[in-house]
């Protein structure tokens, strides 16, 4: 990660050339660099937005405080943090983004390990709703807040279809709470 404003600008310009486009609709800054002020990093992206080269600015792996600092410089359209049923460190970020109309894009959204094992609450709810554990994990995220847009990995058409079918899984409030509820 290198957050020098000139470097961020250079990388965006290179992306524009590689993509053969005049504008990037969503430029997602992957991790703020602690060696440079948030205002300077976001300021470089705001300048690109003001020039029409970037439509929206997004951030990854940020805290609520970093998001607040960034929003003082430019509007933030999205936040992409590691978040799922078993990794809930960013509950406060989900709540903050929901309250401010910012999309929350959880990466690695499907719970894994013991939390999603055959005798886990995820497996129990999945059986009750007639879904897979992965679909149930995604359904929980979709139920968690209206601004949550999971980005699960997909390795095949069948896997894609399984993930998309999570949109049809409806959890009751009791099932949602059984899985961990909200913040």
């Amino acid at each position: 990660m290198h957050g020098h404003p000139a470097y961020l600008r250079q990388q965006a310009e290179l992306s524009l050339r590689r993509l053969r486009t005049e504008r990037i609709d969503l430029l997602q800054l992957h991790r703020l660099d602690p060696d440079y002020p948030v205002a300077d990093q976001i300021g470089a992206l705001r300048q690109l937005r003001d020039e029409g080269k970037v439509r929206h600015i997004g951030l990854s792996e940020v805290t609520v405080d970093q998001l607040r600092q960034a929003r003082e410089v430019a509007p933030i359209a999205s936040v992409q943090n590691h978040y799922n049923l078993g990794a809930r460190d960013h509950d406060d970020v989900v709540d903050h983004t929901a309250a401010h109309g910012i999309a929350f894009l959880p990466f690695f959204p499907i719970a894994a390990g013991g939390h999603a094992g055959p005798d886990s609450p995820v497996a129990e709810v999945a059986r009750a709703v007639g879904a897979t554990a992965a679909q149930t994990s995604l359904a929980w995220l979709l139920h968690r807040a209206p601004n949550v847009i999971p980005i699960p990995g997909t390795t095949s058409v069948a896997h894609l279809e399984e993930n998309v079918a999570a949109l049809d899984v409806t959890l009751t409030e009791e099932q949602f709470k059984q899985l961990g509820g909200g913040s």
Side-chain angles (χ1 to χ4, degrees):
M1 113 181 87
H2 184 58
H4 188 282
Y7 178 78
L8 295 176
R9 183 174 180 80
Q10 174 194 45
Q11 293 303 302
E13 295 282 357
L14 289 171
S15 290
L16 286 164
R17 279 191 227 140
R18 270 192 311 275
L19 295 168
R20 295 183 182 142
T21 188
E22 294 180 17
R23 182 180 72 191
I24 297 170
D25 284 327
L26 176 62
L27 188 133
Q28 196 82 22
L29 178 60
H30 293 278
R31 293 180 183 70
L32 291 166
D33 186 338
D35 292 337
Y36 298 94
V38 171
D40 291 353
Q41 294 173 77
I42 303 306
L45 303 182
R46 185 194 67 220
Q47 183 180 13
L48 289 161
R49 193 200 67 187
D50 292 347
E51 294 168 1
K53 295 178 180 181
V54 168
R55 184 172 179 201
H56 297 289
I57 299 168
L59 301 174
S60 294
E61 288 300 299
V62 293
T63 65
V64 170
D65 185 53
Q66 291 169 323
L67 181 55
R68 282 187 181 120
Q69 290 176 54
R71 291 181 66 226
E72 289 177 7
V73 179
I76 302 300
S78 63
V79 169
Q80 179 184 8
N81 285 4
H82 180 218
Y83 188 76
N84 62 48
L85 278 164
R88 303 276 304 275
D89 294 343
H90 294 292
D91 271 332
D92 60 336
V93 179
V94 174
D95 293 338
H96 183 84
T97 57
H100 292 90
I102 300 168
F104 185 85
L105 314 170
F107 65 85
F108 296 125
I110 298 174
H115 196 77
D119 297 322
S120 69
V122 175
E124 184 179 325
V125 171
R127 284 189 294 274
V129 297
T132 66
Q135 290 169 333
T136 303
S137 292
L138 292 170
W140 178 84
L141 285 167
L142 294 168
H143 189 103
R144 171 65 175 82
N147 64 317
V148 174
I149 305 167
I151 48 174
T154 299
T155 56
S156 67
V157 172
H159 194 213
L160 173 64
E161 290 170 347
E162 177 186 359
N163 288 340
V164 170
L167 292 168
D168 297 325
V169 176
T170 302
L171 302 176
T172 65
E173 282 303 313
E174 184 178 309
Q175 290 165 332
F176 178 69
K177 289 177 184 172
Q178 181 181 353
L179 293 172
S183 61

